[in-house]
Amino acid sequence: MRAIVYDRYGPPDVLRLEEIELPTPKLDEVLVKIYATTVTRADCATREANRRSGLLVTVISRLVSGIRRPRQRVLGSELAGRVEAVGASVTEFTVGDQVFATTGFRFGAHAEFTCIPENARIAHKPPGLSFEEAATICDGGLNALWCLRLADLREGKKILIYGASGAIGTAGVQLARYFGADVTAVCSTKNLELVRSLGADRVIDYTQEDFTRNGETYDFIFDAVGKHSFKRSSGSLKRGGIYLATDGLRNLLLGMWTSRIGDKKVIFSIPPRYTKQDVLFLKELVEAGRYRAVIDRCYPLEAVVEAARYVETEQKTGNVVLTVTDDRA
Ligand SMILES: NC(=O)c1ccc[n+]([C@@H]2O[C@H](COP(=O)([O-])OP(=O)(O)OC[C@H]3O[C@@H](n4cnc5c(N)ncnc54)[C@H](OP(=O)(O)O)[C@@H]3O)[C@@H](O)[C@H]2O)c1
């Protein structure tokens, strides 16, 4: 089968198309023919061994992914496609079912096929959703869900979401709205309308207004893009308020520090733990019209280098999709 592989850590050019062996499903696994997958920030960070995050994070990254070279040669953690074969003990899926899934840090989705245990994070694709849309449900959605649940976000609470136009941000706005929070979203001018359409009660254009200076205070500040900081934003938190982080080693330390000292907390918990129930929860929201995928660009699988370069600009709006095959008859 065709797959995008890499054998050394580095820039997008280390990625190349290669023929690799077709996997065989184990007893409890399904073999999925992948129609669409995505390029995420996690794919890019793993591919370059997190070199942008400093030496310590690079060392940790290599300990996890392979010290000299990547153990898992195929990146990609989100996918949508069709079940091609099932192991003997599989009961939830049958051949031909349309599914979407996330493989998380097991990766392997930048390929024509992958095997997934039926009790892992895989579910039937919501009817009416394209494979491209379905492929983008999990990454930002599960990440945002993890953060908002850690914060125990509830009806009537005031949350500000910084970086509201990225994969995690667009999901965060919709989920916060679903949980009944009062949502203020911060993004740049070009994304204001999109973010408003996702359900934000208020939008702030950070090129025109600095939210830390407008006198408003919030129960939660969710930095969905890792570009703000507890220090800069703590004046905009209410007493007992929480800064939710998605990135940055310093936030781990701040999380420990603020759990003992001060009345405002930092919450940053890694690695996030996602379950199949979380995937089913997002599926239900999609089916109820409460959650939708935001797609910026689609590339063919062969253009993965170009797609990864674009994701690395840190300017994508929502998600970037790779179309793996058009053989969908
Ligand atoms: N996605 C993952 O797999 C994953 C997993 C774990 C952690 N993370 C971390 O979570 C963070 C967000 O990931 P993501 O995939 O959601 O991001 P993303 O989609 O790449 O975010 C891109 C968006 O961020 C906004 N942005 C860029 N620079 C900004 C700045 N200086 N200030 C405010 N907004 C800015 C841009 O929108 P505007 O033009 O509207 O500002 C752009 O639309 C990253 O730090 C990533 O490392 C990601």
Side-chain angles (χ1 to χ4, degrees):
M1 67 169 180
R2 292 179 315 140
I4 304 296
V5 302
Y6 76 126
D7 291 307
R8 64 183 173 86
Y9 298 111
D13 315 72
V14 300
L15 300 167
R16 65 176 194 283
L17 189 67
E18 197 177 281
E19 281 291 326
I20 65 169
E21 205 175 319
L22 184 72
T24 310
K26 298 192 182 101
L27 276 182
D28 65 336
E29 288 182 339
V30 298
L31 174 70
V32 180
K33 181 168 195 179
I34 300 171
Y35 291 150
T37 177
T38 61
V39 179
T40 66
R41 292 281 296 276
D43 291 324
C44 296
T46 304
R47 192 202 62 242
E48 57 174 26
N50 279 281
R51 68 172 175 79
R52 293 171 203 220
S53 302
L55 185 60
L56 180 58
V57 181
T58 296
V59 170
I60 296 168
S61 181
R62 282 180 179 252
L63 285 172
V64 172
S65 305
I67 291 172
R68 291 167 65 84
R69 61 183 65 85
R71 273 189 294 271
Q72 164 56 284
R73 298 173 73 219
V74 181
L75 291 168
S77 63
E78 292 183 287
L79 62 104
R82 202 181 291 268
V83 173
E84 187 83 357
V86 296
S89 68
V90 170
T91 55
E92 188 183 340
F93 301 97
T94 53
V95 171
D97 284 358
Q98 298 186 359
V99 294
F100 72 103
T102 174
T103 56
F105 282 100
R106 209 173 53 77
F107 294 108
H110 290 172
E112 282 183 302
F113 294 90
T114 195
C115 288
I116 304 174
E118 72 165 332
N119 62 4
R121 291 156 300 189
I122 178 168
H124 287 98
K125 179 172 82 63
L129 216 60
S130 70
F131 287 103
E132 282 75 12
E133 289 168 320
T136 70
I137 292 175
C138 289
D139 178 57
L142 293 178
N143 228 297
L145 187 61
W146 169 253
C147 291
L148 298 181
R149 282 196 174 144
L150 285 174
D152 195 20
L153 185 67
R154 295 191 181 215
E155 191 160 356
K157 293 288 181 188
K158 275 180 79 180
I159 185 168
L160 177 136
I161 301 180
Y162 190 82
S165 52
I168 298 176
T170 51
V173 170
Q174 297 179 81
L175 293 172
R177 170 76 183 211
Y178 173 78
F179 289 131
D182 178 276
V183 183
T184 299
V186 183
C187 59
S188 72
T189 319
K190 69 179 194 302
N191 290 315
L192 290 174
E193 271 321 303
L194 165 77
V195 168
R196 197 174 279 125
S197 76
L198 296 174
D201 296 286
R202 250 156 272 102
V203 288
I204 294 177
D205 179 347
Y206 65 77
T207 68
Q208 304 295 320
E209 180 183 344
D210 179 351
F211 77 86
T212 65
R213 291 168 184 268
N214 67 9
E216 285 293 325
T217 53
Y218 304 89
D219 299 294
F220 303 99
I221 292 177
F222 181 19
D223 182 3
V225 73
K227 297 289 183 192
H228 219 276
S229 72
F230 177 59
K231 191 175 171 194
R232 278 197 289 145
S233 60
S234 64
S236 302
L237 280 171
K238 292 181 182 179
R239 281 182 71 85
I242 290 173
Y243 174 82
L244 289 165
T246 48
D247 210 350
L249 208 54
R250 71 179 184 285
N251 287 316
L252 277 181
L253 303 173
L254 279 169
M256 287 187 255
W257 178 260
T258 58
S259 69
R260 291 161 186 273
I261 289 159
D263 69 320
K264 297 173 183 176
K265 311 277 177 228
V266 173
I267 294 186
F268 180 38
S269 179
I270 48 168
R273 283 185 291 277
Y274 312 134
T275 64
K276 186 180 180 94
Q277 280 62 43
D278 296 333
V279 174
L280 292 170
F281 173 74
L282 291 179
K283 172 180 143 75
E284 278 170 23
L285 290 194
V286 170
E287 288 171 350
R290 307 291 300 267
Y291 184 84
R292 72 177 165 93
V294 174
I295 295 178
D296 184 338
R297 296 183 183 182
C298 282
Y299 296 83
L301 182 69
E302 296 75 11
V304 66
V305 171
E306 202 186 323
R309 282 199 190 113
Y310 180 56
V311 173
E312 284 186 357
T313 63
E314 302 186 359
Q315 292 305 321
K316 72 178 162 70
T317 300
N319 302 278
V320 167
V321 173
L322 293 177
T323 302
V324 180
T325 171
D326 284 329
D327 162 30
R328 299 179 186 188

